Amino acid sequence: MYQVVPGGAGGTVTNATPIKQKVRRDARPLIIASVLGLVLVIAAVIAWCYYIGSLRKAELLKTELLDLNKDGYIIRNQAGAIVFRMSFRSGTLDLDSCSKEGEILSCGRTSDRNLKFYIQTVFDNTVQCYRVRWEELVPKIPVVHAMTYNFSHWYGGAETAIQHWPISISGQQAPKPFVTSDVYLNRNDFGGILERYWLSSNATAIKIRDSVPFHLGWNDTEKTMYFQARYHDSPYKPGPGEAPCAELSYRVCVGMDVTSIHKYMVRRYFNKPNKVPSKSMFLHPIWSAWAKQKTDINQEKLLNFAANIHKHGFNCSHLELDDMYTVNYGDFDFDLAKFPNATAMFQKLKADGFLVSLWTHPFVNYDSANFHTCVERGLFVREPTGRLPALVKWWNGIGGILDFTNPEARDWLASHMRSLQSKYGVSSFKLDAGETNYLPWQFSTKVPLRDPSTFTRRYTEMAIPYNERAELRSGYQSQNISCFFRPIDRDSVWGYELGLKSLIPTVLTISILGYQFILPDMIGGNAYLNRTDNERTLPDRELYIRWLELSAFMPSMQFSIPPWEYDNEVVEIARKYTAIHESIVAPRVLELAGEVLSTGDPIIRPVWWIATGDETAYKVDSQFLIGDDLMVAPVLEPGKQERDIYLPAGHWRSYKGERYDIKEPLHLTDYPVDLDEIAYFTWV
């Protein structure tokens, strides 16, 4: 309604507008509240949608017990505890590029580039496995995944110069090629027996795919092991016609306990031997001329050595004639100055009941008469262009190294080995070396090698015709070569660096890697000058006795420093333990050796094999099992005639006749063990 009021010329004014403004001013709080309410509703809807989307994304990035994020993934066990953590060090995943189809979770980008990434879940009874693959699409970009190792204790990988059980990691190491190497000469490298397999005490195992250009590093500060794939600045090569794009592929499997998951992995991913070596290799000691004579061996010394074996009442599986019986390395004829009548020598040894094995190697030195022949026929590993043979340096000089991817080179060496066998009645061969560190950094072979360690595999195959008594010191994917594998030479010292204490951790590691017919090197070590625990070249007497006692409980024994170099008491102790080995140890080992053909299970087993729920058992590095029913606890410290012993729960009888029926693990403190004794316990 209008209002009329006294005014000017017109007499009236209209007051409508001010009245309308008043109404709007009064309504403003309501409008603002309405708008804010609408905004809040919209925000709530967006938040809800985002939350639902996040849940869906989170669900998308889960696969069974594995949770993926942009920086890595974790795996839990059935109880919900984290048992495995891997972080990505080569890129951050773009989670918006991820999708899931069935049991495969895949992503197509990192934050700055395209890639191919997937995790596939495979459930097999009580074992959960994850196949992980990260493939770069651009050359020269390495792939690095970092595994956190402080959740548990880890085992496996490779023989090393300083060997601990479980693995003990110290310092920092940039990823380096995970290839076989001679750790006696290269003590910071990986050893001659090596597999891409690790096992943890929380029932987790990881197996790196064979085709990966695999490098391994670590950082003790971060508690991580670096698994890297790369071709750049590496001895690994892509396949013919392939771009050098790195791919890291591996399987992580989680089981119920450490023993069962290891059995699962071995049965599915490891080679198995197809036969058991000669029974006498298990029953009777091998006698080598090396440690006492080194390269000064000759016909007279070898015959005297054999005569003394019989004179002192010992059995012999076979006699090893070691280094330098030829004039030059690469020859296959006996040095007439050292062996004036090799034929008569072999006939004499055979008549006295000795089989003889010869030392051999893959090198032909430049001063050998065979060097020129091998060059002309193209039998050597060559330099990268393939036009010239590659000269290599090894511990006995300079020469060529035979190319075992070349059938002609294999046939050439095999024909010489057969000739020695035929001419002299040689029983077998000790095949030394074979590690990839003796190859040039860059090289070419008849058949291209994507993985340098395949060279080791090809070399070990040369032992197949002689596997009844053959001996190898290197191995890679060679578990089916049915002969004895020997850890690298030991020094005559007590410690963990190639000494007595390293022997059990090394044997356990090799066993976990699938090598069960183990020759634990020479009793007392090699007695190298300046590498003994005394001023003499002869090993310390006490060390020798303790080494002898431990060796008696290994699959095979090997003497090189003869016990009669000491005194009659040492000879008697040696007779005692060769008899124990023959009567108690070897029959059980032979029984287990037959089972290896189908199961691949270790003959020499860690204590946790039968005590998977006990934290203490995971750290025991000075005891071991033969099968499940013979526990061995040697003395490994100088000046000690007692030791602490861990007994798992069960029913045990000691070598002294003591009975232990225990429902919980038992620690025997300062258990007395005389110098001529080794503590062992049998399952009742």
Side-chain angles (χ1 to χ4, degrees):
M1 176 180 293
Y2 291 102
Q3 294 180 350
V4 180
V5 296
T12 62
V13 293
T14 304
N15 200 27
T17 300
I19 295 172
K20 289 182 179 179
Q21 287 177 343
K22 183 177 180 182
V23 172
R24 289 181 179 176
R25 194 174 288 118
D26 294 337
R28 185 174 294 171
L30 180 61
I31 294 170
I32 292 172
S34 299
V35 171
L36 286 175
L38 180 61
V39 170
L40 289 173
V41 170
I42 293 171
V45 171
I46 292 172
W48 176 255
C49 292
Y50 183 79
Y51 173 70
I52 294 299
S54 298
L55 288 179
R56 289 175 178 172
K57 176 61 71 175
E59 189 62 30
L60 166 69
L61 300 178
K62 290 179 181 287
T63 172
E64 293 297 335
L65 301 173
L66 182 146
D67 293 348
L68 175 69
N69 61 63
K70 62 186 179 64
D71 298 315
Y73 62 89
I74 62 171
I75 299 174
R76 303 177 187 273
N77 61 18
Q78 294 290 345
I82 296 175
V83 295
F84 190 84
R85 185 187 298 274
M86 187 76 85
S87 61
F88 305 141
R89 298 295 177 87
S90 46
T92 300
L93 286 181
D94 177 358
L95 299 183
D96 289 332
S97 72
C98 299
S99 61
K100 188 175 181 182
E101 183 175 346
E103 300 301 325
I104 299 179
L105 196 165
S106 59
C107 305
R109 283 191 57 79
T110 66
S111 57
D112 62 353
R113 64 186 183 275
N114 293 329
L115 84 161
K116 293 181 180 178
F117 173 84
Y118 78 78
I119 298 176
Q120 181 181 9
T121 305
V122 179
F123 186 72
D124 187 356
N125 198 9
T126 60
V127 175
Q128 189 81 40
C129 287
Y130 305 91
R131 298 174 181 172
V132 182
R133 177 186 175 199
W134 179 303
E135 180 184 355
E136 290 291 346
L137 303 178
V138 178
K140 295 189 177 181
I141 296 179
V143 184
V144 184
H145 290 185
M147 183 190 77
T148 302
Y149 62 74
N150 64 347
F151 287 115
S152 57
H153 306 288
W154 284 86
Y155 315 91
E159 172 190 15
T160 54
I162 301 175
Q163 198 92 48
H164 291 284
W165 181 271
I167 295 171
S168 177
I169 295 175
S170 61
Q172 300 179 20
Q173 172 63 57
K176 60 182 180 180
F178 191 69
V179 295
T180 57
S181 181
D182 177 349
V183 291
Y184 195 85
L185 297 178
N186 307 286
R187 302 221 170 180
N188 294 320
D189 285 354
F190 307 112
I193 299 177
L194 164 152
E195 298 294 333
R196 303 170 168 199
Y197 172 71
W198 288 267
L199 174 74
S200 83
S201 59
N202 62 9
T204 306
I206 181 169
K207 177 74 167 64
I208 310 296
R209 190 175 178 183
D210 296 342
S211 61
V212 171
F214 183 54
H215 299 66
L216 180 68
W218 55 85
N219 186 319
D220 187 35
T221 302
E222 296 181 350
K223 305 299 181 185
T224 56
M225 292 172 64
Y226 301 131
F227 299 125
Q228 184 193 67
R230 79 169 192 261
Y231 289 111
H232 178 63
D233 189 29
S234 169
Y236 293 96
K237 301 300 175 190
E242 293 182 6
C245 295
E247 174 189 322
L248 181 59
S249 300
Y250 54 89
R251 298 179 183 185
V252 181
C253 294
V254 181
M256 301 298 291
D257 60 69
V258 60
T259 302
S260 63
I261 191 62
H262 177 66
K263 288 184 176 185
Y264 175 88
M265 299 297 286
V266 167
R267 281 155 175 74
R268 282 155 182 78
Y269 304 127
F270 282 22
N271 294 319
K272 312 290 187 307
N274 53 32
K275 62 177 294 186
V276 176
S278 170
K279 184 177 179 180
S280 66
M281 286 277 286
F282 296 91
L283 288 169
H284 307 309
I286 299 164
W287 294 80
S288 169
W290 171 250
K292 177 64 178 172
Q293 303 297 340
K294 303 294 192 292
T295 58
D296 292 332
I297 189 66
N298 59 34
Q299 183 168 328
E300 181 182 3
K301 290 178 180 178
L302 187 66
L303 289 172
N304 286 339
F305 186 46
N308 276 320
I309 294 171
H310 277 175
K311 174 184 174 182
H312 290 93
F314 291 98
N315 289 321
C316 178
S317 166
H318 64 262
L319 191 64
E320 277 186 356
L321 174 54
D322 214 289
D323 195 351
M324 211 55 196
Y325 53 86
T326 61
V327 175
N328 297 304
Y329 295 102
D331 297 348
F332 292 91
D333 294 319
F334 279 84
D335 181 349
L336 291 177
K338 288 185 169 186
F339 298 88
N341 195 337
T343 300
M345 178 187 74
F346 276 91
Q347 289 174 345
K348 168 64 174 170
L349 290 170
K350 183 179 180 181
D352 291 341
F354 288 98
L355 298 176
V356 181
S357 177
L358 289 182
W359 176 79
T360 189
H361 53 82
F363 307 102
V364 179
N365 279 9
Y366 69 90
D367 54 0
S368 167
N370 289 318
F371 183 81
H372 183 68
T373 299
C374 292
V375 171
E376 279 192 333
R377 294 178 58 180
L379 305 185
F380 289 140
V381 171
R382 293 157 289 167
E383 45 79 43
T385 68
R387 293 191 295 268
L388 296 172
L391 289 180
V392 300
K393 185 177 181 179
W394 61 298
W395 69 88
N396 276 330
I398 297 174
I401 185 169
L402 293 170
D403 178 2
F404 292 101
T405 74
N406 183 348
E408 286 190 45
R410 297 166 68 90
D411 289 346
W412 181 83
L413 179 59
S415 67
H416 282 291
M417 294 167 75
R418 287 194 301 269
S419 177
L420 287 167
Q421 187 180 36
S422 174
K423 185 175 181 179
Y424 299 109
V426 171
S427 65
S428 192
F429 293 89
K430 171 184 176 179
L431 288 87
D432 216 346
E435 300 90 353
T436 63
N437 69 287
Y438 291 110
L439 298 171
W441 178 253
Q442 298 293 331
F443 64 92
S444 64
T445 49
K446 182 77 171 181
V447 177
L449 295 179
R450 299 184 60 168
D451 177 358
S453 291
T454 306
F455 179 85
T456 297
R457 163 68 197 185
R458 297 283 86 85
Y459 178 59
T460 60
E461 291 168 352
M462 298 302 297
I464 292 176
Y466 309 98
N467 55 19
E468 282 283 309
R469 297 174 183 274
E471 175 187 326
L472 287 162
R473 82 166 196 191
S474 59
Y476 175 68
Q477 300 175 4
S478 305
Q479 298 94 336
N480 65 323
I481 309 297
S482 303
C483 66
F484 274 83
F485 286 82
R486 173 181 65 88
I488 197 69
D489 301 35
R490 305 284 116 174
D491 288 329
S492 299
V493 297
W494 289 89
Y496 284 104
E497 183 174 348
L498 297 178
L500 178 60
K501 284 187 179 179
S502 73
L503 197 55
I504 294 174
T506 301
V507 170
L508 290 174
T509 298
I510 293 172
S511 295
I512 287 296
L513 298 180
Y515 297 88
Q516 310 309 340
F517 307 139
I518 299 173
L519 177 62
D521 201 42
M522 302 167 185
I523 292 168
N526 283 266
Y528 293 130
L529 187 64
N530 300 323
R531 293 191 182 274
T532 65
D533 272 347
N534 57 31
E535 296 180 357
R536 305 168 60 202
T537 56
L538 199 65
D540 175 75
R541 181 179 186 273
E542 182 187 7
L543 173 70
Y544 183 87
I545 292 170
R546 293 304 190 191
W547 207 307
L548 164 63
E549 292 163 354
L550 171 56
S551 293
F553 286 82
M554 290 290 169
S556 187
M557 300 179 71
Q558 185 178 46
F559 285 101
S560 195
I561 298 291
W564 52 85
E565 287 292 317
Y566 294 93
D567 50 52
N568 288 335
E569 183 184 9
V570 175
V571 172
E572 288 302 318
I573 293 173
R575 290 195 190 111
K576 171 184 174 180
Y577 280 98
T578 54
I580 287 175
H581 178 83
E582 183 176 345
S583 61
I584 296 175
V585 179
R588 182 66 180 122
V589 168
L590 279 164
E591 183 181 359
L592 293 164
E595 297 173 6
V596 167
L597 308 186
S598 57
T599 67
D601 288 347
I603 293 173
I604 303 299
R605 299 174 181 176
V607 173
W608 53 248
W609 192 267
I610 60 170
T612 57
D614 187 356
E615 174 67 18
T616 300
Y618 298 136
K619 297 179 285 186
V620 175
D621 71 346
S622 63
Q623 296 176 220
F624 60 93
L625 292 163
I626 301 174
D628 290 347
D629 48 16
L630 181 54
M631 170 77 73
V632 186
V635 172
L636 304 175
E637 298 277 354
K640 297 288 186 180
Q641 296 199 27
E642 69 282 325
R643 63 156 294 163
D644 295 344
I645 295 173
Y646 167 88
L647 277 183
H651 307 282
W652 299 96
R653 179 181 289 119
S654 78
Y655 68 107
K656 300 177 182 180
E658 303 149 327
R659 179 75 177 254
Y660 299 91
D661 296 300
I662 48 178
K663 296 181 179 179
E664 298 291 336
L666 176 65
H667 294 265
L668 302 176
T669 304
D670 292 332
Y671 186 85
V673 186
D674 290 341
L675 180 60
D676 66 342
E677 293 181 325
I678 182 172
Y680 62 94
F681 302 78
T682 54
W683 183 270
V684 181

